[in-house]
Amino acid sequence: MSRSTFYLHYQDQFELLEDIEKEVLEKTFENLSNINSPMNTMESIELFLNYVKDHGTTFGILLCQPENERFQESIISGVQKHVQACRRNL
């Protein structure tokens, strides 16, 4: 992608990073919501961890960089909320 094409879609690299983070969060929570509640906890955890593994490069970049603290907090709190909601539904 050329520089001019990039700037047609994004103001700067931070806006691109924000779009990537939003997409990863959406797909993560979509993946979590697709886990059926009748499954036992270990199966659910295994499915989710396989999803993270399949997207390991992206998660590695977003979760292991100190400057992505906002994303890290968002994904952790979102997963916690999902787990708590599943517990209430059991």
Side-chain angles (χ1 to χ4, degrees):
M1 173 186 305
S2 71
R3 180 174 275 228
S4 59
T5 302
F6 176 85
Y7 285 107
L8 284 174
H9 300 282
Y10 300 101
Q11 290 182 357
D12 55 26
Q13 69 272 23
F14 301 109
E15 187 177 2
L16 172 62
L17 178 61
E18 188 176 317
D19 273 1
I20 292 170
E21 289 174 348
K22 284 180 188 176
E23 183 177 341
V24 168
L25 286 173
E26 287 172 9
K27 290 187 185 274
T28 297
F29 300 137
E30 181 180 307
N31 185 274
L32 283 171
S33 69
N34 289 335
I35 296 173
N36 296 327
S37 56
M39 300 176 121
N40 73 38
T41 304
M42 290 305 291
E43 288 173 312
S44 298
I45 291 170
E46 185 177 352
L47 281 174
F48 179 68
L49 291 177
N50 282 329
Y51 168 76
V52 172
K53 179 183 174 186
D54 291 343
H55 300 86
T57 302
T58 303
F59 278 98
I61 292 168
L62 294 176
L63 291 174
C64 297
Q65 301 299 319
E67 60 271 11
N68 292 339
E69 187 175 333
R70 180 180 43 84
F71 173 80
Q72 296 161 1
E73 291 171 358
S74 296
I75 200 163
I76 289 169
S77 68
V79 170
Q80 285 175 333
K81 287 177 187 174
H82 178 79
V83 169
Q84 290 169 347
C86 286
R87 284 183 185 167
R88 286 191 292 269
N89 292 334
L90 292 180

